[in-house]
Amino acid sequence: MPLHIIKLCVGVSDVETLERNAARSDWRIVHTRMTPKRAAEIEDGGSLYWVIKGAVACRQPILDITTVGEGKASRCEIRLESRVIRTAHLARRPFQGWRYLEHRDCPVDLTSAGDTDLPPDLVRELRELGAW
């Protein structure tokens, strides 16, 4: 099973905005300060799950993870596919940086869960109440 990463999508208000931005090449590389120690597991089919407005809303498959620079000037670059895959909403509290996300804890893709015509806010509220 691949290992995934979860990260807050700061400055993006909805999945549609992320989809538009993901088409641009400068949005396909995510810069972080720390390189994951388990990068090999992530590169083996992992995705970056985006938290938008307090819930996991979508994911982008990870192509590779590289460390750029040396010493204190080093940083990590995570290169993503331009494809954004919507997922079932899963509430998440705010956190800094990124976290590992085990495959068993990932929300299902909407393509496999069945798309819905309900507004995302209503879906999020129903999930938080445990009604869906």
Side-chain angles (χ1 to χ4, degrees):
M1 290 287 157
L3 184 64
H4 306 283
I5 291 179
I6 186 169
K7 185 170 175 34
L8 298 181
C9 196
V10 179
V12 174
S13 59
D14 53 33
V15 179
E16 290 80 16
T17 304
L18 181 63
E19 288 172 335
R20 282 192 306 273
N21 290 336
R24 298 178 13 208
S25 62
D26 59 328
W27 270 76
R28 285 188 232 141
I29 296 179
V30 175
H31 299 276
T32 66
R33 197 182 75 201
M34 303 298 291
T35 301
K37 291 180 178 20
R38 299 170 67 184
E41 293 175 70
I42 296 167
E43 290 175 326
D44 189 27
S47 292
L48 177 61
Y49 282 80
W50 289 111
V51 177
I52 300 174
K53 287 191 168 182
V56 176
C58 60
R59 69 181 178 92
Q60 284 182 273
I62 295 174
L63 298 174
D64 65 14
I65 299 173
T66 57
T67 302
V68 178
E70 294 180 18
K72 290 187 177 191
S74 71
R75 68 181 188 280
C76 174
E77 291 184 349
I78 303 171
R79 195 164 54 93
L80 306 170
E81 282 188 18
S82 60
R83 173 174 57 122
V84 175
I85 303 164
R86 292 174 185 246
T87 64
H89 283 254
L90 177 66
R92 285 299 282 230
R93 291 179 177 234
F95 57 91
Q96 291 184 339
W98 54 265
R99 301 284 185 268
Y100 293 117
L101 183 65
E102 296 290 336
H103 189 72
R104 66 179 176 272
D105 299 327
C106 294
V108 296
D109 294 346
L110 284 183
T111 54
S112 62
D115 292 334
T116 178
D117 293 332
L118 295 175
D121 293 337
L122 180 58
V123 170
R124 180 180 11 252
E125 192 171 335
L126 288 170
R127 287 193 189 283
E128 287 173 359
L129 292 171
W132 193 356

